[in-house]
């Protein structure tokens, strides 16, 4: 993370799902996810792709990012999670098992030292 000039607690806005950009309501599924940075994040430029995993089994969606892929560069390891305050990662009641319907497509990716 030091090579990327990122430290625990650093954050940047992301479009949660590269296939549902700027949507007012999105549906996420258990499994892999590709997100897109909306702004610079350490040495990572906007439009960098973040790859990770989604879990929808609880009341809120959990997204962990393992890899960043900057444009015109190689993939790099990363340790980050998607977060929003005020229950904004909370699933809508009509979400079916294995899915999460969210009111918005943007969250913040926060650097963490480990997944808990």
């Amino acid at each position: 993370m030091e090579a990327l000039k990122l430290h625990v607690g650093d954050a940047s806005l992301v479009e949660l799902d590269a296939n549902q950009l700027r949507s007012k309501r999105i549906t996420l599924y258990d499994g892999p996810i590709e997100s897109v940075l909306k702004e610079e994040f350490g040495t990572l430029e906007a439009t960098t792709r973040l790859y990770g995993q989604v879990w929808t089994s609880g009341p809120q969606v959990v997204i962990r990012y393992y890899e960043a892929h900057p444009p015109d560069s190689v993939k790099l390891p990363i340790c980050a999670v998607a977060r929003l305050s005020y229950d904004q990662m909370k699933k809508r009641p009509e979400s079916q098992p294995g899915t999460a319907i969210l009111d918005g497509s943007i969250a913040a990716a926060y650097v963490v030292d480990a997944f808990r």
Side-chain angles (χ1 to χ4, degrees):
M1 299 299 289
E2 288 181 26
L4 297 175
K5 297 197 185 300
L6 291 171
H7 305 90
V8 172
D10 288 350
S12 180
L13 292 178
V14 296
E15 284 279 355
L16 289 172
D17 187 344
N19 296 312
Q20 301 180 72
L21 299 175
R22 296 184 204 104
S23 298
K24 291 182 180 176
R25 185 170 287 174
I26 65 171
T27 302
L28 300 178
Y29 301 90
D30 283 329
I33 191 165
E34 177 185 6
S35 300
V36 182
L37 284 177
K38 291 182 60 69
E39 56 193 12
E40 289 183 0
F41 195 27
T43 62
L44 300 172
E45 62 187 274
T47 73
T48 293
R49 306 298 194 182
L50 297 182
Y51 296 99
Q53 186 76 22
V54 177
W55 289 270
T56 64
S57 60
Q60 294 193 355
V61 176
V62 174
I63 302 174
R64 295 177 176 171
Y65 295 112
Y66 303 101
E67 200 170 51
H69 191 188
D72 302 322
S73 187
V74 298
K75 291 181 180 177
L76 304 163
I78 192 169
C79 189
V81 296
R83 291 185 182 149
L84 273 178
S85 300
Y86 307 109
D87 286 336
Q88 293 175 347
M89 295 289 284
K90 188 173 183 178
K91 299 185 319 189
R92 292 191 51 83
E94 64 267 26
S95 299
Q96 298 295 314
T99 68
I101 300 170
L102 300 178
D103 287 326
S105 64
I106 297 173
Y110 282 84
V111 173
V112 295
D113 59 353
F115 298 121
R116 295 180 172 42

